[in-house]
C-alpha cells in the first residue's frame, strides 16, 4: 500500500541518519529529528514462519537464470553451507546487477530442503524485496538506537533466538548501512 511505502521511506531515512549520527556518538534527537519507528518493522515482516512453501518452485525456476558470475557466487556459498563451513560473504556491485535475485535464489536453495534461512535488510523497503524478508531490527531484536553495550531484545530461550541459532544462511541486505554496534550486538 502506498501509505506504508511512504512511511517506510521516511523511516528508512531516519534509520540511515541514526546510523550516521551514531558513528559520531550522537542520535537523531540531538539534532531535533525523530528516532526511527520500531513498530513499522512489524508491518514489514512477510511471515512469522520461516517456511517458504514456494522455495522449490522459485529455486528451480530461477537457478537457470543466474548469470555466470552469479552462479559462481551461488555455488561457492551453497558448497560452504552444505559442508557446514561458517563464512561471511559480502556482495558488492552496482544497482541492478542482480544481488537481490542471487540472494533470493540462495535463500530458496536452503529453504527448499526444509532448513532455516533468514532474510533481513537494514531498511523496510529493501526487506520487502527479499523472500520472507524482515528488517534487521526485527530479525535480531536489535534496539534503536543500538549502543556499544546493547544486547538483543530476544532472550536466549526465545523462539527468535533459536531461529537465529538454527539458521544455515543469514542474508543482510544493505549491510553497508549497518553500524559497528549492530554487528557487535548480533555477535553477543
Amino acid at each position: 500500500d502506498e501509505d506504508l511505502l511512504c512511511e517506510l521511506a521516511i523511516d528508512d531515512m531516519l534509520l540511515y541518519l541514526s546510523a550516521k549520527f551514531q558513528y559520531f556518538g550522537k542520535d537523531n534527537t540531538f539534532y531535533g529529528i525523530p528516532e526511527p519507528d520500531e513498530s513499522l518493522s512489524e508491518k514489514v515482516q512477510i511471515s512469522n514462519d520461516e517456511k517458504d512453501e514456494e522455495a522449490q518452485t522459485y529455486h528451480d525456476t530461477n537457478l537457470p537464470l543466474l548469470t555466470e558470475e552469479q552462479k559462481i557466487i551461488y555455488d561457492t556459498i551453497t558448497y560452504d553451507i552444505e559442508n557446514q563451513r561458517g563464512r561471511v560473504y559480502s556482495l558488492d556491485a552496482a544497482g541492478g546487477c542482480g544481488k537481490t535475485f542471487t540472494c533470493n535464489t540462495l535463500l530458496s536453495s536452503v529453504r527448499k530442503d526444509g532448513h532455516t534461512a533468514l532474510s533481513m535488510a537494514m531498511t523496510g523497503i529493501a526487506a520487502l524485496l527479499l523472500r520472507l524478508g524482515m528488517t534487521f531490527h526485527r530479525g535480531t531484536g536489535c534496539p534503536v538506537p543500538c549502543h556499544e553495550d546493547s544486547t538483543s531484545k530476544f532472550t536466549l530461550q526465545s523462539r527468535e533466538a533459536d531461529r537465529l541459532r538454527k539458521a544455515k544462511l543469514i542474508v543482510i541486505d544493505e549491510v553497508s548501512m549497518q553500524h559497528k554496534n549492530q554487528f557487535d550486538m548480533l555477535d553477543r
Side-chain angles (χ1 to χ4, degrees):
D1 135 323
E2 196 170 307
D3 290 339
L4 177 59
L5 283 176
C6 186
E7 284 181 71
L8 287 171
I10 292 168
D11 202 59
D12 285 351
M13 179 54 72
L14 293 174
L15 187 62
Y16 174 79
L17 291 172
S18 177
K20 293 299 178 192
F21 295 154
Q22 229 176 20
Y23 182 78
F24 297 102
K26 307 288 184 203
D27 63 13
N28 290 14
T29 58
F30 180 83
Y31 297 100
I33 300 170
E35 288 292 334
D37 182 357
E38 289 186 63
S39 69
L40 282 179
S41 68
E42 303 286 327
K43 298 177 184 177
V44 172
Q45 186 178 20
I46 295 171
S47 170
N48 286 328
D49 187 2
E50 62 270 6
K51 301 283 188 239
D52 184 352
E53 301 300 328
E54 298 173 7
Q56 185 73 53
T57 302
Y58 184 92
H59 179 265
D60 294 348
T61 301
N62 292 297
L63 183 62
L65 302 178
L66 292 175
T67 66
E68 188 175 320
E69 289 176 329
Q70 292 167 338
K71 185 72 166 85
I72 290 168
I73 293 165
Y74 173 91
D75 289 342
T76 301
I77 294 174
T78 55
Y79 175 84
D80 284 344
I81 292 169
E82 290 166 5
N83 291 285
Q84 300 180 4
R85 298 169 62 188
R87 300 285 172 111
V88 175
Y89 294 95
S90 175
L91 300 183
D92 186 23
C97 288
K99 295 180 297 292
T100 302
F101 178 72
T102 304
C103 288
N104 279 329
T105 305
L106 281 162
L107 290 161
S108 67
S109 173
V110 173
R111 292 175 180 152
K112 72 180 176 58
D113 296 328
H115 300 296
T116 301
L118 302 177
S119 48
M120 302 178 219
M122 293 308 297
T123 66
I125 291 174
L128 290 171
L129 300 176
L130 292 169
R131 294 182 62 79
L132 300 182
M134 64 186 93
T135 62
F136 175 82
H137 296 82
R138 176 152 178 95
T140 63
C142 182
V144 177
C146 184
H147 301 289
E148 188 174 308
D149 59 347
S150 292
T151 57
S152 173
K153 296 176 188 176
F154 301 155
T155 64
L156 289 175
Q157 297 76 27
S158 69
R159 179 182 178 274
E160 295 86 357
D162 187 50
R163 186 176 59 201
L164 281 165
R165 283 188 294 272
K166 287 188 333 189
K168 290 197 176 266
L169 176 66
I170 299 175
V171 169
I172 305 173
D173 196 7
E174 296 185 341
V175 74
S176 62
M177 291 180 58
Q178 197 165 7
H179 188 274
K180 172 190 175 302
N181 292 346
Q182 292 169 320
F183 282 114
D184 292 341
M185 184 277 321
L186 183 58
D187 195 38
R188 284 193 269 281

